[in-house]
Amino acid sequence: MRNRSTKIGSIPRPSTPATQRAIAGKDNVIQRLIILFFALLAILAPINLSAATVVDQLGRNVQVPDRPVRIVCLAPSITEILFALDLSDRLVGATQFSDYPPRANALPKVGSYIRLDVEKIVALQPDLCIAVKDGNPITAIHKLEALDIPVYAVDPRDLEAVMDTLQELGGLLGVSDRSDAIVAGMRQRIERVRRAVAGTTHRPKVFFQIGIAPIVSVGTNTFIHELIVMAGGVNLAAGDTPYPRFSKEAVIASRPEVLIITSMARKAVFEQVKREWREWEAMPAVKNDRIYLVDSNVLDRATPRLVDGLEMLARLIHPDRCGPNRLATDDQKDKEALP
């Protein structure tokens, strides 16, 4: 006789031991699958579910994690920018010659920016690489992307673009307040230089030497040309060729009033070049003792230190207007006025 107490829709549980074991086994499998699903979801969520598609400076769509914590910089300029943004704790790798600030020397190196070591980059397990258009080989970038490592590329071509890049990376990495403050400071310093050289009646002719044999200078489409002009000088090598070559006779014939030679590791060599130029006493730069050796890193890296380079060139080109303390901030001037 049917048990009247059984509710409609309820299914009596089979009571045979074999059937119960089978059902219990299926329950265990389902529970394990549920646990596995949520475990995979927890692993994948930081990579996929929190990623956003952004457009980099080359117009490429890139999936960037919401907060990248393992970043590899594919050029010294990028390393320097991320240190400036106080993101050193997120950097796990950088390219050779990433030497500023000095702490950057301790980062694992992944080859030079023109010869990237893809295997070393992959071994660092980055969740983001930041690249530059000029120099980074596209084949290496494609290999990284094929391994689902996002690569965000930048392409700053002038000082304004450098400041835009700073703010763009600040927004991308969640430190907009920091990047905005840096750019605001850069703009104030640039404006002080502009005011200092405004209205000058003479713009000295500048020859900027970056190569020895042959002699190489800087054309119009370079950071250094832009800084020379902003600092109130005339670039004698201006023209369409980015890095034109000159004979010694051509340099002498151009009669530079200021001759600037960049030096890095080969400082002794450049000192010798300086001594050789001094033999040409009729050249205005020699006659007036205006041959200078400068650090190239503050003039040709797309970083906030370009403003340091601008101020340095302004002091060399217009010492009467931009000499010591003339470009100091209002706060610095106030401190210097204190007894």
Side-chain angles (χ1 to χ4, degrees):
M1 185 174 180
R2 182 177 295 178
N3 187 347
R4 301 276 183 187
S5 65
T6 302
K7 295 181 180 179
I8 298 174
S10 66
I11 302 175
R13 187 177 181 86
S15 57
T16 63
T19 303
Q20 290 178 351
R21 285 196 298 272
I23 292 174
K26 288 180 181 179
D27 288 344
N28 287 336
V29 170
I30 291 171
Q31 289 174 357
R32 290 174 184 172
L33 287 173
I34 291 172
I35 293 170
L36 179 60
F37 171 77
F38 282 105
L40 288 172
L41 194 62
I43 294 171
L44 295 176
I47 300 173
N48 294 326
L49 298 184
S50 63
T53 300
V54 298
V55 179
D56 68 10
Q57 291 186 2
L58 306 189
R60 302 158 58 249
N61 291 327
V62 184
Q63 274 210 328
V64 177
D66 181 54
R67 189 182 185 278
V69 294
R70 297 187 62 81
I71 303 172
V72 173
C73 303
L74 303 185
S77 58
I78 302 300
T79 305
E80 190 171 323
I81 285 174
L82 266 59
F83 267 93
L85 294 174
D86 289 338
L87 295 174
S88 59
D89 59 327
R90 299 200 215 170
L91 305 186
V92 296
T95 51
Q96 188 181 9
F97 306 122
S98 292
D99 55 6
Y100 189 88
R103 285 184 296 148
N105 284 305
L107 289 170
K109 297 302 185 285
V110 294
S112 70
Y113 79 104
I114 58 173
R115 291 185 178 86
L116 298 172
D117 189 325
V118 174
E119 289 185 3
K120 286 185 178 180
I121 295 172
V122 174
L124 293 171
Q125 299 181 329
D127 49 18
L128 178 65
C129 292
I130 303 179
V132 292
K133 180 183 178 182
D134 285 343
N136 287 159
I138 192 63
T139 52
I141 302 304
H142 287 164
K143 288 178 182 177
L144 292 171
E145 291 174 330
L147 295 169
D148 291 329
I149 297 174
V151 180
Y152 187 92
V154 298
D155 185 31
R157 296 284 178 165
D158 53 33
L159 187 51
E160 187 66 34
V162 170
M163 292 186 284
D164 289 343
T165 297
L166 271 161
Q167 291 183 302
E168 191 171 301
L169 290 178
L172 185 74
L173 302 174
V175 289
S176 291
D177 289 349
R178 175 64 178 161
S179 60
D180 289 347
I182 292 172
V183 170
M186 291 173 70
R187 291 194 185 282
Q188 290 175 357
R189 293 167 65 190
I190 292 168
E191 185 57 30
R192 280 195 290 272
V193 171
R194 283 179 173 153
R195 287 199 305 265
V197 302
T200 180
T201 57
H202 178 62
R203 297 175 69 88
K205 294 185 293 183
V206 179
F207 187 82
F208 198 101
Q209 183 176 356
I210 63 172
I212 299 172
I215 296 170
V216 179
S217 189
V218 289
T220 301
N221 295 318
T222 61
F223 287 119
I224 296 173
H225 168 84
E226 180 184 25
L227 298 181
I228 290 172
V229 173
M230 292 177 68
V234 174
N235 179 17
L236 288 172
D240 293 337
T241 304
Y243 300 102
R245 298 183 178 190
F246 289 81
S247 65
K248 182 171 288 187
E249 292 75 16
V251 176
I252 295 169
S254 69
R255 298 183 60 77
E257 297 167 80
V258 179
L259 201 159
I260 299 173
I261 307 165
T262 59
S263 66
M264 293 187 292
R266 299 176 296 169
K267 186 173 182 180
V269 176
F270 283 101
E271 287 282 3
Q272 176 61 32
V273 172
K274 183 177 179 179
R275 286 192 292 270
E276 291 174 359
W277 281 122
R278 287 187 179 280
E279 297 175 5
W280 301 92
E281 296 178 357
M283 191 162 63
V286 176
K287 187 183 299 184
N288 297 312
D289 194 24
R290 302 193 69 184
I291 301 179
Y292 307 106
L293 292 179
V294 301
D295 180 1
S296 65
N297 282 351
V298 299
L299 294 163
D300 56 14
R301 283 188 184 177
T303 76
R305 283 199 298 162
L306 281 176
V307 180
D308 294 347
L310 171 63
E311 292 173 340
M312 177 182 66
L313 289 178
R315 286 190 290 269
L316 298 180
I317 296 170
H318 288 286
D320 56 326
R321 292 172 172 266
C322 307
N325 300 328
R326 289 182 178 269
L327 296 178
T329 64
D330 293 337
D331 289 343
Q332 288 173 324
K333 290 179 180 177
D334 291 341
K335 290 178 183 177
E336 288 161 4
L338 293 175

